[in-house]
Amino acid sequence: MIMSDPTLFKSVEECLVLSSQHQQETKFVDGSWHLGRPGGGRADYEAGPRIAGAAFFDIDDFSSKGPELNPRDLPHMMPTKRLFAKVMDALNISNTDTVIIYGTEGCMTTPRAWFTMQAMGHPTNQLFLMQGSLKKWEEKGGKIERGFQKALLENDLTLNDDEAPTNYQGTESKGVVDLEYVKQIIVDASADAGKVGNDENDAIIIDARGSGRFYGQAPEPRKGLRGGHMPGAYNVPFDTLLQPESSGKFRSVAEMKQIFSNAGVDVMTEQNVICSCGSGVTACTIAAALQACGRDPTKTFVYDGSWAEWGSLPDTPIVSNKAETTVS
């Protein structure tokens, strides 16, 4: 077992060292996902190039589906404990492996794969996000594979053998909240002070969508969703935490702290922080940034359904302008 540096972000150079010195215990995982291009991450991985020996973690496919687990048919909801363990076994990842998540060129959504693994029990100090592109990896001498390589599908797994043990020992998802929890936060805040985020409330909400969508001035990319935001939510667009034109590389801790502060968010607040976005993907960028800034990850949560759920319902409270006027 590698005693890894607990820093969440690893440079390409640091990843190369881990790969060289602990090759058998270091597993690279492509966590690419692209809104508006279904299956795009999988297609790119299969076509190559990819980091030599890397696996692909499909946040859409490795998720809870069907009327029992996902009655509203929401995208990429957290997998069950058993599905996750089966996936990790099939990807040849053990509980003691160091896992490095990376993305293909232009991908800014790899934190969802990172957050999923952390939420399902992979040790925090053995789970990292590579800060740099696949192109940078190759330029620095990292080994690359080219040509077709099939990526794992859930259908490749046998999930109905409930008694068969798995090698990977996962947990039920942690750090994830549902619709009812978020509703209660807002109800409690409204009864107490009229605004989520006051010190006496249990939690604050951070919305990772762009300001246009947050204020209902830009359309949602998914059909049938109302515009606006949850009452009292803070807006920290996820891409403001990333370096411009960097394929998902985060800004410095000092810069990220300032961005949160400018938005009215105290990174180290004792309150729980609920991260939301369009469908639970870029909310994980907020969670990763908060953790990198030193926040206790057990006090940060992702609203898994996010706006795909909240904005689709007729009775959820929504604010559509800076004056905090609620849309009923």
Side-chain angles (χ1 to χ4, degrees):
M1 176 176 174
I2 307 169
M3 298 305 292
S4 298
D5 183 334
T7 304
L8 167 59
F9 303 141
K10 292 292 184 190
S11 68
V12 171
E13 291 81 1
E14 290 172 313
C15 291
L16 283 165
V17 170
L18 281 172
S19 175
S20 174
Q21 296 182 353
H22 304 280
Q23 185 174 3
Q24 297 302 315
E25 299 168 289
T26 302
K27 305 295 172 65
F28 286 87
V29 174
D30 182 344
S32 301
W33 179 87
H34 303 276
L35 179 63
R37 192 157 68 92
R42 170 181 292 275
D44 291 345
Y45 169 86
E46 291 186 334
R50 70 193 73 81
I51 291 179
F56 182 72
F57 191 90
D58 191 331
I59 64 170
D60 284 325
D61 192 41
F62 307 150
S63 64
S64 291
K65 310 181 193 76
E68 183 177 347
L69 295 174
N70 188 357
R72 292 195 175 97
D73 194 27
L74 298 168
H76 35 255
M77 297 292 280
M78 280 286 167
T80 63
K81 173 183 174 181
R82 183 155 187 80
L83 171 58
F84 181 74
K86 284 277 192 175
V87 167
M88 296 298 265
D89 278 356
L91 298 181
N92 194 32
I93 297 173
S94 74
N95 292 83
T96 58
D97 283 336
T98 290
V99 177
I100 300 172
I101 310 289
Y102 77 96
T104 48
E105 203 70 28
C107 178
M108 298 186 288
T109 55
T110 53
R112 176 67 189 195
W114 160 81
F115 183 83
T116 300
M117 291 190 181
Q118 179 169 284
M120 301 304 297
H122 203 77
T124 302
N125 66 344
Q126 292 164 229
L127 186 58
F128 306 106
L129 285 165
M130 187 171 85
Q131 296 303 281
S133 65
L134 184 61
K135 180 180 178 182
K136 178 66 70 174
W137 168 269
E138 186 172 14
E139 288 175 352
K140 293 290 184 179
K143 294 181 180 178
I144 291 288
E145 290 176 350
R146 303 184 189 278
F148 182 81
Q149 172 65 51
K150 184 181 183 297
L152 180 72
L153 287 165
E154 180 185 346
N155 287 341
D156 297 328
L157 307 172
T158 303
L159 297 174
N160 57 4
D161 54 343
D162 292 340
E163 301 303 319
T166 57
N167 292 320
Y168 192 93
Q169 299 300 304
T171 65
E172 299 297 340
S173 60
K174 299 176 181 177
V176 179
V177 296
D178 61 13
L179 174 73
E180 296 308 316
Y181 182 89
V182 179
K183 275 185 174 180
Q184 194 59 52
I185 289 171
I186 292 173
V187 168
D188 289 349
S190 178
D192 191 19
K195 182 177 174 65
V196 177
N198 290 347
D199 291 341
E200 62 267 27
N201 293 310
D202 292 330
I204 63 170
I205 300 168
I206 303 177
D207 191 324
R209 294 174 301 152
S211 61
R213 292 167 65 190
F214 183 80
Y215 290 113
Q217 297 165 350
E220 288 294 317
R222 294 176 177 85
K223 294 181 180 179
L225 302 184
R226 294 184 291 161
H229 60 270
M230 301 166 202
Y234 296 89
N235 188 210
V236 182
F238 81 97
D239 55 355
T240 64
L241 298 165
L242 306 176
Q243 296 182 20
E245 301 177 4
S246 67
S247 289
K249 188 175 181 180
F250 282 75
R251 294 180 183 270
S252 70
V253 168
E255 288 175 310
M256 291 192 294
K257 285 183 175 179
Q258 188 61 55
I259 289 166
F260 281 118
S261 178
N262 290 347
V265 175
D266 176 7
V267 167
M268 304 307 289
T269 179
E270 288 299 314
Q271 296 170 275
N272 289 336
V273 173
I274 312 302
C275 306
S276 182
C277 62
S279 65
V281 174
T282 58
C284 299
T285 299
I286 302 294
L290 289 170
Q291 188 166 319
C293 288
R295 182 172 175 79
D296 179 357
T298 66
K299 299 281 287 180
T300 300
F301 301 82
V302 167
Y303 171 26
D304 213 15
S306 284
W307 203 255
E309 181 173 41
W310 193 273
S312 71
L313 300 175
D315 59 347
T316 46
I318 289 178
V319 172
S320 62
N321 57 52
K322 296 182 180 181
E324 298 282 294
T325 301
T326 303
V327 176
S328 59

